[in-house]
Amino acid sequence: MNCGFGNSHPGISEDLLGTDGTISRSQQIRYTPQKMNLPDGVETLGQTPTAPRAHVQNFFDAIRNGAETNCPFETAYRVSVACRMATESYQLRRTVYWDFEREEMV
């Protein structure tokens, strides 16, 4: 996972990079085939159910107003850990476990 607020290009998106292509979610959902592995793949577009930048806007609004975010920190942390564990497990080609006391993967 990578997040940067350095400039407005390519914008705020979530990208899932796979062998056969990339799924990007920003203002719309876009599948872009990886031509090397899927030469006949066709780009596909869809729509997201929320307004562009809604998640980041909610975060900034919560900071400004002292309110709770739509996604509480603890939930975001647990989701990020699960995603990171899945990636680590895939790369190591083995099951990884979470050490709750030390808050780290083992």
Side-chain angles (χ1 to χ4, degrees):
M1 179 175 285
N2 184 13
C3 180
F5 296 104
N7 64 25
S8 63
H9 186 78
I12 299 166
S13 70
E14 299 166 356
D15 298 323
L16 178 63
L17 306 165
T19 305
D20 293 334
T22 301
I23 298 173
S24 300
R25 181 182 176 272
S26 57
Q27 281 89 346
Q28 62 185 9
I29 297 171
R30 176 187 307 261
Y31 167 72
T32 307
Q34 179 68 30
K35 293 297 185 177
M36 182 176 287
N37 295 334
L38 201 61
D40 297 328
V42 177
E43 183 174 66
T44 307
L45 298 176
Q47 294 293 320
T48 60
T50 58
R53 299 177 179 80
H55 181 69
V56 173
Q57 187 63 53
N58 169 257
F59 177 74
F60 289 142
D61 290 345
I63 290 172
R64 288 183 185 114
N65 302 323
E68 187 71 25
T69 58
N70 288 341
C71 180
F73 174 81
E74 188 64 30
T75 301
Y77 176 72
R78 291 176 186 269
V79 169
S80 296
V81 166
C83 292
R84 183 67 189 114
M85 288 178 69
T87 302
E88 190 76 10
S89 176
Y90 175 77
Q91 290 175 340
L92 295 175
R93 299 181 189 271
R94 67 172 177 85
T95 302
V96 296
Y97 298 94
W98 183 249
D99 183 329
F100 288 96
E101 290 180 16
R102 296 184 344 211
E103 291 195 355
E104 65 183 22
M105 287 181 279
V106 291

XYZ file of all heavy atoms in Angstrom:
838
model
N 0.848 -1.162 0.000
C 0.000 0.000 0.000
C 0.895 1.227 0.000
O 1.905 1.267 0.677
C -0.890 -0.023 1.237
C -1.793 1.166 1.314
S -2.944 1.080 2.688
C -4.077 -0.133 2.038
N 0.487 2.210 -0.762
C 1.268 3.429 -0.870
C 0.298 4.601 -0.868
O -0.737 4.556 -1.512
C 2.080 3.412 -2.164
C 2.986 4.604 -2.292
O 3.212 5.336 -1.343
N 3.509 4.804 -3.485
N 0.630 5.635 -0.134
C -0.224 6.811 -0.078
C 0.658 8.044 -0.142
O 1.656 8.126 0.567
C -1.037 6.808 1.213
S -2.127 8.221 1.354
N 0.307 8.971 -0.994
C 1.078 10.200 -1.088
C 0.179 11.373 -1.388
O -0.764 11.255 -2.147
N 0.460 12.489 -0.745
C -0.331 13.694 -0.965
C 0.532 14.782 -1.597
O 0.321 15.957 -1.391
C -0.917 14.195 0.357
C -1.883 13.240 0.977
C -1.513 12.459 2.061
C -3.155 13.101 0.472
C -2.401 11.575 2.633
C -4.059 12.220 1.030
C -3.689 11.448 2.119
N 1.544 14.386 -2.389
C 2.499 15.328 -2.951
C 1.927 16.233 -4.019
O 2.290 17.391 -4.112
N 1.050 15.711 -4.858
C 0.433 16.535 -5.890
C -0.887 15.895 -6.321
O -1.305 14.891 -5.753
C 1.375 16.742 -7.089
C 1.696 15.462 -7.822
O 0.933 14.506 -7.793
N 2.827 15.429 -8.496
N -1.535 16.454 -7.306
C -2.853 15.949 -7.698
C -2.808 14.931 -8.827
O -3.837 14.531 -9.328
C -3.746 17.122 -8.125
O -3.193 17.744 -9.267
N -1.634 14.517 -9.237
C -1.548 13.525 -10.308
C -0.840 12.292 -9.798
O 0.200 12.417 -9.183
C -0.785 14.073 -11.510
C -0.815 13.125 -12.671
N -1.905 13.014 -13.479
C 0.090 12.222 -13.102
C -1.640 12.085 -14.396
N -0.441 11.598 -14.169
N -1.304 11.082 -9.936
C -2.483 10.700 -10.690
C -3.782 10.855 -9.921
O -4.824 10.398 -10.352
C -2.219 9.236 -11.018
C -1.413 8.730 -9.889
C -0.575 9.910 -9.456
N -3.749 11.485 -8.763
C -4.968 11.641 -7.993
C -5.013 10.612 -6.886
O -4.040 9.932 -6.607
N -6.141 10.520 -6.249
C -6.310 9.577 -5.154
C -6.929 8.322 -5.733
O -8.017 8.353 -6.291
C -7.211 10.180 -4.067
C -6.564 11.444 -3.521
C -7.467 9.176 -2.955
C -7.486 12.287 -2.696
N -6.209 7.220 -5.618
C -6.743 5.970 -6.154
C -6.215 4.799 -5.352
O -5.260 4.912 -4.594
C -6.364 5.803 -7.628
O -4.982 5.564 -7.762
N -6.868 3.688 -5.512
C -6.418 2.425 -4.973
C -6.144 1.546 -6.179
O -6.994 1.413 -7.054
C -7.498 1.802 -4.095
C -7.873 2.659 -2.902
C -9.158 2.215 -2.240
O -9.816 1.280 -2.738
O -9.525 2.820 -1.227
N -4.960 0.979 -6.244
C -4.583 0.170 -7.392
C -4.263 -1.242 -6.944
O -3.487 -1.448 -6.008
C -3.361 0.758 -8.102
C -3.633 2.138 -8.653
O -4.745 2.375 -9.132
O -2.726 2.969 -8.596
N -4.858 -2.207 -7.621
C -4.568 -3.606 -7.392
C -3.820 -4.099 -8.619
O -4.382 -4.145 -9.716
C -5.866 -4.398 -7.190
C -5.721 -5.890 -6.983
C -4.945 -6.171 -5.707
C -7.085 -6.534 -6.923
N -2.541 -4.417 -8.440
C -1.689 -4.816 -9.552
C -1.638 -6.336 -9.628
O -1.216 -6.998 -8.680
C -0.273 -4.259 -9.355
C -0.213 -2.748 -9.122
C 1.147 -2.351 -8.592
C -0.543 -2.016 -10.391
N -2.054 -6.877 -10.752
C -2.046 -8.326 -10.931
C -1.268 -8.730 -12.169
O -0.841 -7.891 -12.962
N -1.092 -10.007 -12.338
C -0.356 -10.533 -13.471
C -1.028 -10.185 -14.800
O -0.355 -9.883 -15.779
C -0.243 -12.071 -13.360
O 0.336 -12.380 -12.090
C 0.627 -12.642 -14.463
N -2.364 -10.209 -14.821
C -3.093 -9.960 -16.062
C -3.538 -8.519 -16.241
O -4.079 -8.168 -17.280
C -4.313 -10.881 -16.151
C -3.914 -12.335 -16.302
O -2.809 -12.601 -16.822
O -4.691 -13.211 -15.904
N -3.332 -7.670 -15.231
C -3.737 -6.282 -15.389
C -3.823 -5.559 -14.063
O -3.438 -6.084 -13.025
N -4.355 -4.343 -14.124
C -4.483 -3.485 -12.953
C -5.929 -3.038 -12.808
O -6.558 -2.649 -13.781
C -3.595 -2.231 -13.109
O -2.244 -2.650 -13.269
C -3.705 -1.304 -11.915
N -6.442 -3.094 -11.577
C -7.749 -2.534 -11.262
C -7.484 -1.280 -10.446
O -6.840 -1.333 -9.406
C -8.622 -3.520 -10.466
C -8.879 -4.783 -11.284
C -9.940 -2.847 -10.062
C -9.597 -5.868 -10.515
N -7.958 -0.140 -10.955
C -7.776 1.149 -10.276
C -9.127 1.667 -9.844
O -10.096 1.633 -10.606
C -7.138 2.174 -11.224
O -5.885 1.726 -11.657
N -9.179 2.175 -8.627
C -10.417 2.765 -8.120
C -10.114 4.190 -7.690
O -9.359 4.431 -6.768
C -10.948 1.981 -6.925
C -12.241 2.553 -6.384
C -12.702 1.758 -5.172
N -13.884 2.353 -4.611
C -13.888 3.318 -3.699
N -12.749 3.794 -3.253
N -15.013 3.801 -3.229
N -10.667 5.143 -8.395
C -10.586 6.553 -8.019
C -11.958 7.144 -8.286
O -12.917 6.686 -7.707
C -9.467 7.260 -8.791
O -9.648 7.141 -10.173
N -12.071 8.114 -9.220
C -13.399 8.627 -9.554
C -14.234 7.569 -10.264
O -15.445 7.613 -10.259
C -13.304 9.878 -10.437
C -12.976 11.119 -9.678
C -11.475 11.336 -9.571
O -10.678 10.447 -9.836
N -11.072 12.515 -9.169
N -13.562 6.635 -10.879
C -14.248 5.502 -11.506
C -13.382 4.271 -11.329
O -12.229 4.363 -10.965
C -14.508 5.774 -12.984
C -13.252 5.972 -13.813
C -13.582 6.352 -15.238
O -14.713 6.615 -15.567
N -12.585 6.391 -16.072
N -13.965 3.123 -11.571
C -13.217 1.877 -11.504
C -12.742 1.556 -12.915
O -13.517 1.621 -13.868
C -14.080 0.743 -10.946
C -14.490 1.079 -9.510
C -13.339 -0.585 -11.004
C -15.505 0.142 -8.923
N -11.474 1.236 -13.044
C -10.896 0.975 -14.361
C -10.048 -0.288 -14.298
O -9.230 -0.441 -13.406
C -10.022 2.150 -14.778
C -9.287 1.957 -16.095
C -8.293 3.096 -16.352
N -8.927 4.398 -16.259
C -9.344 5.111 -17.317
N -9.168 4.658 -18.525
N -9.892 6.288 -17.146
N -10.289 -1.190 -15.247
C -9.423 -2.355 -15.412
C -8.550 -2.112 -16.637
O -9.047 -1.853 -17.727
C -10.235 -3.638 -15.614
C -9.369 -4.787 -16.087
C -8.477 -5.399 -15.220
C -9.416 -5.212 -17.402
C -7.652 -6.427 -15.655
C -8.599 -6.236 -17.847
C -7.725 -6.845 -16.973
O -6.913 -7.854 -17.414
N -7.239 -2.161 -16.451
C -6.288 -1.987 -17.542
C -5.507 -3.280 -17.696
O -4.787 -3.680 -16.776
C -5.314 -0.832 -17.243
O -6.061 0.340 -16.908
C -4.417 -0.546 -18.433
N -5.641 -3.962 -18.837
C -4.934 -5.227 -19.006
C -3.425 -5.047 -19.107
O -2.945 -4.019 -19.581
C -5.502 -5.786 -20.311
C -6.033 -4.609 -21.037
C -6.427 -3.602 -20.009
N -2.691 -6.033 -18.640
C -1.238 -6.074 -18.771
C -0.958 -6.726 -20.129
O -1.058 -7.934 -20.280
C -0.628 -6.902 -17.626
C 0.866 -7.031 -17.661
C 1.572 -5.713 -17.395
O 1.086 -4.864 -16.688
N 2.727 -5.547 -17.979
N -0.626 -5.916 -21.108
C -0.516 -6.396 -22.491
C 0.522 -7.498 -22.672
O 0.393 -8.339 -23.541
C -0.215 -5.231 -23.445
C -1.361 -4.245 -23.561
C -2.592 -4.890 -24.158
C -3.692 -3.880 -24.389
N -4.860 -4.464 -25.023
N 1.556 -7.511 -21.843
C 2.574 -8.540 -21.981
C 2.003 -9.929 -21.676
O 2.318 -10.902 -22.343
C 3.748 -8.253 -21.053
C 4.885 -9.267 -21.181
S 6.278 -8.819 -20.156
C 6.902 -7.425 -21.091
N 1.126 -10.014 -20.661
C 0.562 -11.299 -20.262
C -0.829 -11.550 -20.817
O -1.286 -12.694 -20.853
C 0.510 -11.401 -18.736
C 1.887 -11.396 -18.128
O 2.856 -11.778 -18.768
N 1.987 -10.966 -16.903
N -1.515 -10.504 -21.214
C -2.880 -10.627 -21.730
C -3.022 -9.719 -22.952
O -3.687 -8.688 -22.909
C -3.875 -10.229 -20.631
C -5.301 -10.723 -20.745
C -5.375 -12.247 -20.741
C -6.133 -10.154 -19.628
N -2.369 -10.089 -24.070
C -2.299 -9.187 -25.228
C -3.655 -8.797 -25.818
O -3.787 -7.722 -26.385
C -1.463 -9.957 -26.240
C -1.407 -11.356 -25.770
C -1.703 -11.359 -24.311
N -4.684 -9.637 -25.667
C -5.994 -9.320 -26.226
C -6.934 -8.702 -25.195
O -8.112 -8.515 -25.468
C -6.638 -10.582 -26.811
C -5.826 -11.145 -27.975
O -5.194 -10.335 -28.694
O -5.815 -12.372 -28.155
N -6.405 -8.363 -24.014
C -7.235 -7.776 -22.962
C -7.770 -6.421 -23.361
O -7.140 -5.663 -24.093
N -8.959 -6.106 -22.860
C -9.635 -4.855 -23.194
C -9.841 -4.045 -21.914
O -10.266 -4.581 -20.893
C -11.002 -5.144 -23.851
C -11.761 -3.862 -24.136
C -10.823 -5.958 -25.114
N -9.539 -2.750 -21.975
C -9.767 -1.873 -20.836
C -11.263 -1.760 -20.568
O -12.063 -1.655 -21.491
C -9.177 -0.492 -21.114
C -9.310 0.443 -19.947
C -8.600 1.754 -20.194
O -9.051 2.491 -21.091
O -7.614 2.018 -19.507
N -11.637 -1.780 -19.289
C -13.037 -1.717 -18.886
C -13.205 -0.612 -17.860
O -12.388 -0.469 -16.957
C -13.470 -3.067 -18.262
O -13.156 -4.118 -19.150
C -14.955 -3.083 -17.983
N -14.278 0.166 -17.994
C -14.559 1.264 -17.064
C -15.858 1.019 -16.325
O -16.785 0.419 -16.851
C -14.673 2.597 -17.811
C -13.434 3.079 -18.546
C -13.751 4.349 -19.318
C -12.296 3.312 -17.579
N -15.939 1.505 -15.095
C -17.157 1.428 -14.296
C -17.280 2.685 -13.469
O -16.528 3.636 -13.650
N -18.198 2.719 -12.540
C -18.409 3.882 -11.677
C -18.309 3.470 -10.219
O -18.676 2.365 -9.851
C -19.794 4.495 -11.929
C -19.962 5.091 -13.302
C -19.077 6.306 -13.506
O -18.906 7.122 -12.617
N -18.494 6.403 -14.689
N -17.831 4.375 -9.363
C -17.801 4.131 -7.931
C -19.093 4.652 -7.312
O -19.699 5.586 -7.843
C -16.594 4.819 -7.267
O -16.684 6.217 -7.505
C -15.283 4.296 -7.793
N -19.515 4.078 -6.196
C -20.776 4.509 -5.587
C -20.676 5.782 -4.755
O -21.689 6.293 -4.308
C -21.150 3.314 -4.708
C -19.849 2.693 -4.357
C -18.963 2.898 -5.562
N -19.490 6.286 -4.519
C -19.338 7.488 -3.691
C -18.744 8.630 -4.513
O -18.160 8.413 -5.563
C -18.399 7.217 -2.495
O -17.139 6.778 -2.997
C -18.973 6.183 -1.564
N -18.883 9.814 -3.979
C -18.342 10.994 -4.657
C -16.817 10.926 -4.679
O -16.202 10.355 -3.776
C -18.793 12.252 -3.929
N -16.195 11.505 -5.699
C -14.734 11.530 -5.754
C -14.149 12.169 -4.493
O -14.672 13.161 -3.990
C -14.426 12.382 -6.991
C -15.665 12.320 -7.814
C -16.797 12.159 -6.845
N -13.107 11.580 -3.984
C -12.374 12.086 -2.823
C -13.190 12.121 -1.533
O -12.844 12.820 -0.581
C -11.800 13.467 -3.119
C -10.815 13.469 -4.270
C -10.321 14.888 -4.567
N -9.361 14.924 -5.652
C -9.671 14.890 -6.937
N -10.923 14.829 -7.322
N -8.725 14.931 -7.852
N -14.293 11.377 -1.469
C -15.171 11.413 -0.292
C -14.452 10.945 0.970
O -14.627 11.529 2.041
C -16.414 10.563 -0.535
N -13.647 9.910 0.864
C -12.958 9.363 2.034
C -11.963 10.377 2.606
O -11.949 10.637 3.808
C -12.253 8.059 1.651
C -11.535 7.409 2.781
N -12.206 6.840 3.838
C -10.215 7.233 3.018
C -11.323 6.339 4.691
N -10.102 6.567 4.221
N -11.140 10.955 1.744
C -10.149 11.933 2.193
C -10.843 13.189 2.708
O -10.438 13.766 3.719
C -9.150 12.266 1.065
C -8.230 13.398 1.462
C -8.343 11.031 0.705
N -11.923 13.608 2.059
C -12.669 14.785 2.517
C -13.231 14.555 3.910
O -13.164 15.426 4.773
C -13.789 15.140 1.537
C -14.487 16.441 1.874
C -13.532 17.628 1.800
O -12.870 17.834 0.799
N -13.451 18.400 2.878
N -13.778 13.359 4.156
C -14.294 13.027 5.478
C -13.188 13.095 6.526
O -13.385 13.597 7.629
C -14.942 11.650 5.480
C -15.240 11.173 6.879
O -14.515 10.331 7.420
N -16.292 11.701 7.464
N -12.004 12.604 6.189
C -10.861 12.630 7.099
C -10.499 14.077 7.468
O -10.351 14.412 8.643
C -9.674 11.913 6.462
C -8.427 11.944 7.288
C -8.306 11.167 8.424
C -7.358 12.747 6.915
C -7.157 11.200 9.189
C -6.194 12.784 7.670
C -6.093 12.006 8.815
N -10.369 14.921 6.462
C -10.025 16.325 6.722
C -11.130 17.036 7.509
O -10.846 17.814 8.425
C -9.740 17.077 5.420
C -8.452 16.666 4.767
C -8.374 16.571 3.393
C -7.316 16.371 5.501
C -7.184 16.202 2.761
C -6.122 15.998 4.900
C -6.060 15.917 3.525
N -12.386 16.776 7.161
C -13.499 17.392 7.890
C -13.494 16.973 9.357
O -13.752 17.787 10.248
C -14.838 17.022 7.251
C -15.058 17.680 5.903
O -14.317 18.638 5.576
O -15.956 17.218 5.166
N -13.197 15.708 9.618
C -13.157 15.215 10.994
C -12.044 15.894 11.784
O -12.232 16.244 12.956
C -12.968 13.703 10.999
N -10.890 16.100 11.153
C -9.790 16.794 11.825
C -10.185 18.237 12.132
O -9.989 18.727 13.242
C -8.511 16.750 10.968
C -7.966 15.323 10.929
C -7.461 17.718 11.511
C -6.828 15.127 9.954
N -10.762 18.908 11.157
C -11.133 20.317 11.343
C -12.205 20.502 12.415
O -12.184 21.474 13.166
C -11.640 20.895 10.020
C -10.561 21.104 8.993
C -11.107 21.740 7.715
N -10.066 21.807 6.719
C -10.081 21.129 5.573
N -11.099 20.349 5.271
N -9.078 21.239 4.718
N -13.159 19.567 12.465
C -14.300 19.717 13.366
C -14.182 18.910 14.651
O -15.075 18.964 15.495
C -15.593 19.319 12.642
C -15.817 20.140 11.393
O -15.509 21.328 11.368
N -16.337 19.517 10.347
N -13.124 18.123 14.772
C -12.952 17.294 15.965
C -13.941 16.149 16.042
O -14.226 15.628 17.119
N -14.474 15.746 14.909
C -15.474 14.671 14.865
C -14.806 13.320 14.596
O -13.624 13.241 14.258
C -16.496 14.971 13.773
N -15.586 12.279 14.730
C -15.121 10.930 14.423
C -15.153 10.734 12.904
O -16.055 11.217 12.224
C -16.044 9.907 15.085
C -15.585 8.473 14.996
C -14.372 8.162 15.876
O -14.161 8.853 16.881
O -13.649 7.220 15.528
N -14.164 10.031 12.362
C -14.155 9.741 10.925
C -15.137 8.611 10.616
O -15.553 7.870 11.509
C -12.756 9.302 10.469
O -12.367 8.147 11.211
C -11.734 10.405 10.662
N -15.511 8.469 9.344
C -16.372 7.361 8.933
C -15.696 6.022 9.185
O -16.356 5.023 9.432
C -16.731 7.472 7.450
C -17.697 8.597 7.192
O -18.371 9.078 8.091
N -17.763 9.042 5.951
N -14.384 6.007 9.079
C -13.605 4.798 9.332
C -12.692 5.072 10.530
O -11.669 5.727 10.383
C -12.783 4.423 8.097
S -11.802 2.927 8.331
N -13.052 4.580 11.715
C -12.228 4.827 12.903
C -10.808 4.285 12.726
O -10.583 3.304 12.007
C -12.955 4.076 14.020
C -14.351 3.886 13.514
C -14.237 3.799 12.023
N -9.860 4.918 13.396
C -8.458 4.543 13.280
C -8.245 3.053 13.527
O -7.528 2.386 12.787
C -7.600 5.362 14.253
C -6.171 4.903 14.280
C -5.288 5.326 13.296
C -5.722 4.022 15.248
C -3.974 4.883 13.295
C -4.402 3.589 15.260
C -3.535 4.012 14.282
N -8.852 2.526 14.581
C -8.646 1.114 14.929
C -9.088 0.182 13.793
O -8.414 -0.795 13.479
C -9.395 0.770 16.218
C -9.088 -0.602 16.765
C -7.639 -0.777 17.207
O -6.998 0.199 17.636
O -7.143 -1.921 17.125
N -10.201 0.506 13.155
C -10.672 -0.303 12.030
C -9.702 -0.206 10.857
O -9.334 -1.215 10.258
C -12.077 0.150 11.585
O -12.970 0.026 12.691
C -12.583 -0.665 10.415
N -9.273 1.009 10.538
C -8.333 1.200 9.428
C -7.023 0.465 9.699
O -6.443 -0.157 8.804
C -8.075 2.689 9.211
N -6.551 0.512 10.936
C -5.318 -0.171 11.312
C -5.455 -1.679 11.112
O -4.600 -2.315 10.497
C -4.986 0.147 12.771
C -3.787 -0.585 13.308
C -2.504 -0.245 12.899
C -3.932 -1.612 14.238
C -1.391 -0.907 13.395
C -2.831 -2.279 14.742
C -1.565 -1.926 14.319
O -0.471 -2.592 14.816
N -6.548 -2.253 11.576
C -6.750 -3.701 11.447
C -6.878 -4.126 9.977
O -6.351 -5.160 9.581
C -7.974 -4.145 12.239
C -7.766 -4.040 13.730
C -9.042 -4.401 14.490
N -8.877 -4.176 15.900
C -8.451 -5.088 16.767
N -8.151 -6.293 16.340
N -8.339 -4.794 18.039
N -7.559 -3.330 9.174
C -7.680 -3.643 7.744
C -6.315 -3.559 7.074
O -5.948 -4.428 6.272
C -8.689 -2.688 7.062
C -8.631 -2.814 5.555
C -10.094 -2.965 7.565
N -5.541 -2.534 7.404
C -4.198 -2.385 6.822
C -3.304 -3.552 7.212
O -2.550 -4.070 6.387
C -3.560 -1.074 7.275
O -4.294 0.009 6.788
N -3.381 -3.981 8.465
C -2.585 -5.122 8.920
C -2.980 -6.382 8.152
O -2.117 -7.136 7.688
C -2.748 -5.336 10.443
C -2.228 -6.698 10.868
C -2.034 -4.235 11.204
N -4.272 -6.604 7.981
C -4.728 -7.795 7.253
C -4.233 -7.783 5.805
O -3.781 -8.814 5.286
C -6.254 -7.884 7.294
N -4.286 -6.629 5.152
C -3.795 -6.516 3.775
C -2.294 -6.770 3.716
O -1.805 -7.479 2.836
C -4.123 -5.144 3.194
S -5.871 -4.857 2.932
N -1.575 -6.194 4.653
C -0.119 -6.375 4.686
C 0.246 -7.827 4.962
O 1.183 -8.374 4.390
C 0.504 -5.457 5.751
C 1.987 -5.528 5.815
C 2.616 -4.965 4.528
N 4.022 -5.249 4.525
C 4.636 -6.068 3.663
N 3.960 -6.647 2.700
N 5.914 -6.292 3.745
N -0.519 -8.486 5.842
C -0.266 -9.903 6.125
C -0.529 -10.777 4.901
O 0.216 -11.722 4.639
C -1.120 -10.366 7.303
C -0.656 -9.827 8.635
S -1.702 -10.347 10.005
C -1.310 -12.090 10.061
N -1.575 -10.452 4.151
C -1.868 -11.215 2.937
C -0.727 -11.078 1.936
O -0.296 -12.064 1.325
C -3.186 -10.738 2.321
N -0.218 -9.867 1.776
C 0.901 -9.633 0.858
C 2.142 -10.375 1.328
O 2.816 -11.044 0.544
C 1.203 -8.130 0.742
O 0.026 -7.463 0.284
C 2.349 -7.859 -0.201
N 2.439 -10.268 2.602
C 3.623 -10.936 3.162
C 3.517 -12.456 3.010
O 4.475 -13.131 2.639
C 3.771 -10.559 4.641
C 5.054 -10.988 5.270
C 6.239 -10.120 4.876
O 6.044 -9.056 4.261
O 7.369 -10.523 5.185
N 2.342 -12.997 3.274
C 2.118 -14.434 3.144
C 2.334 -14.893 1.702
O 2.970 -15.917 1.449
C 0.699 -14.782 3.594
O 0.435 -16.141 3.402
N 1.818 -14.108 0.775
C 1.988 -14.433 -0.640
C 3.463 -14.394 -1.036
O 3.966 -15.296 -1.696
C 1.188 -13.456 -1.499
C 1.405 -13.651 -2.978
C 0.783 -14.694 -3.653
C 2.232 -12.794 -3.692
C 0.984 -14.877 -5.009
C 2.446 -12.970 -5.043
C 1.815 -14.017 -5.696
O 2.027 -14.199 -7.036
N 4.166 -13.364 -0.624
C 5.569 -13.215 -1.001
C 6.455 -14.280 -0.361
O 7.392 -14.772 -0.993
C 6.076 -11.819 -0.636
C 5.469 -10.743 -1.497
C 5.862 -9.341 -1.077
O 6.280 -9.101 0.051
N 5.699 -8.392 -1.988
N 6.150 -14.650 0.885
C 6.940 -15.666 1.570
C 6.494 -17.090 1.233
O 7.175 -18.049 1.573
C 6.864 -15.465 3.090
C 7.477 -14.183 3.631
C 7.209 -14.068 5.130
C 8.980 -14.146 3.344
N 5.329 -17.192 0.595
C 4.741 -18.489 0.249
C 4.520 -19.369 1.480
O 4.794 -20.563 1.474
C 5.582 -19.211 -0.797
C 5.697 -18.437 -2.093
C 6.530 -19.199 -3.114
N 6.811 -18.390 -4.251
C 6.046 -18.295 -5.334
N 4.927 -18.953 -5.397
N 6.406 -17.530 -6.338
N 4.049 -18.712 2.552
C 3.723 -19.432 3.786
C 2.709 -18.610 4.582
O 2.495 -17.426 4.318
C 4.967 -19.693 4.625
C 5.608 -18.451 5.208
C 6.722 -18.808 6.199
N 7.382 -17.643 6.714
C 6.953 -16.930 7.763
N 5.849 -17.262 8.382
N 7.638 -15.871 8.164
N 2.097 -19.256 5.546
C 1.157 -18.574 6.420
C 1.917 -17.677 7.389
O 2.959 -18.069 7.910
C 0.336 -19.598 7.222
O -0.342 -20.464 6.306
C -0.688 -18.923 8.121
N 1.414 -16.480 7.600
C 1.979 -15.600 8.618
C 0.926 -15.412 9.706
O -0.270 -15.528 9.459
C 2.436 -14.234 8.053
C 3.564 -14.397 7.072
C 1.288 -13.486 7.427
N 1.384 -15.118 10.911
C 0.504 -14.948 12.058
C 0.739 -13.588 12.683
O 1.781 -12.973 12.486
C 0.762 -16.053 13.095
C 0.467 -17.423 12.539
C 1.476 -18.189 11.968
C -0.823 -17.937 12.574
C 1.218 -19.444 11.445
C -1.096 -19.200 12.050
C -0.074 -19.938 11.494
O -0.341 -21.156 10.968
N -0.223 -13.131 13.461
C -0.130 -11.840 14.114
C 0.144 -12.047 15.601
O -0.586 -12.753 16.285
C -1.436 -11.061 13.922
C -1.391 -9.692 14.493
C -2.076 -9.226 15.574
C -0.621 -8.589 13.998
N -1.788 -7.906 15.783
C -0.887 -7.492 14.835
C 0.258 -8.424 12.937
C -0.316 -6.242 14.645
C 0.835 -7.189 12.745
C 0.547 -6.123 13.587
N 1.209 -11.445 16.095
C 1.544 -11.458 17.517
C 0.870 -10.241 18.133
O 1.320 -9.104 17.949
C 3.066 -11.397 17.698
C 3.485 -11.477 19.157
O 2.726 -11.001 20.037
O 4.578 -12.009 19.405
N -0.206 -10.462 18.890
C -0.996 -9.365 19.452
C -0.237 -8.574 20.501
O -0.424 -7.356 20.621
C -2.313 -9.893 20.036
C -3.290 -10.317 18.984
C -3.380 -11.634 18.590
C -4.114 -9.378 18.384
C -4.271 -12.015 17.604
C -5.005 -9.764 17.387
C -5.092 -11.079 17.011
N 0.611 -9.228 21.265
C 1.353 -8.523 22.313
C 2.388 -7.571 21.724
O 2.545 -6.445 22.168
C 2.017 -9.515 23.253
C 1.015 -10.263 24.116
C 1.681 -11.251 25.057
O 2.901 -11.156 25.262
O 0.956 -12.106 25.586
N 3.135 -8.038 20.719
C 4.178 -7.208 20.112
C 3.657 -6.413 18.927
O 4.365 -5.572 18.377
C 5.352 -8.084 19.675
C 6.015 -8.733 20.872
C 7.241 -9.550 20.568
N 7.446 -9.921 19.185
C 8.039 -11.030 18.790
N 8.501 -11.890 19.672
N 8.203 -11.301 17.522
N 2.440 -6.683 18.484
C 1.835 -6.065 17.314
C 2.742 -6.135 16.098
O 3.092 -5.119 15.485
C 1.435 -4.608 17.610
C 0.281 -4.511 18.581
C -0.362 -3.133 18.594
O 0.121 -2.204 17.938
O -1.406 -3.009 19.274
N 3.083 -7.379 15.731
C 3.902 -7.597 14.541
C 3.629 -8.977 13.966
O 3.101 -9.854 14.647
C 5.385 -7.438 14.852
C 5.943 -8.461 15.811
C 7.405 -8.225 16.139
O 7.890 -7.086 15.982
O 8.056 -9.190 16.549
N 3.975 -9.131 12.697
C 3.807 -10.416 12.017
C 4.909 -11.373 12.427
O 6.032 -10.973 12.636
C 3.851 -10.231 10.501
C 2.636 -9.586 9.935
S 2.740 -9.428 8.152
C 3.744 -7.966 8.025
N 4.542 -12.648 12.532
C 5.526 -13.689 12.806
C 5.333 -14.829 11.833
O 4.317 -14.971 11.215
C 5.444 -14.215 14.267
C 5.904 -13.141 15.218
C 4.051 -14.676 14.607
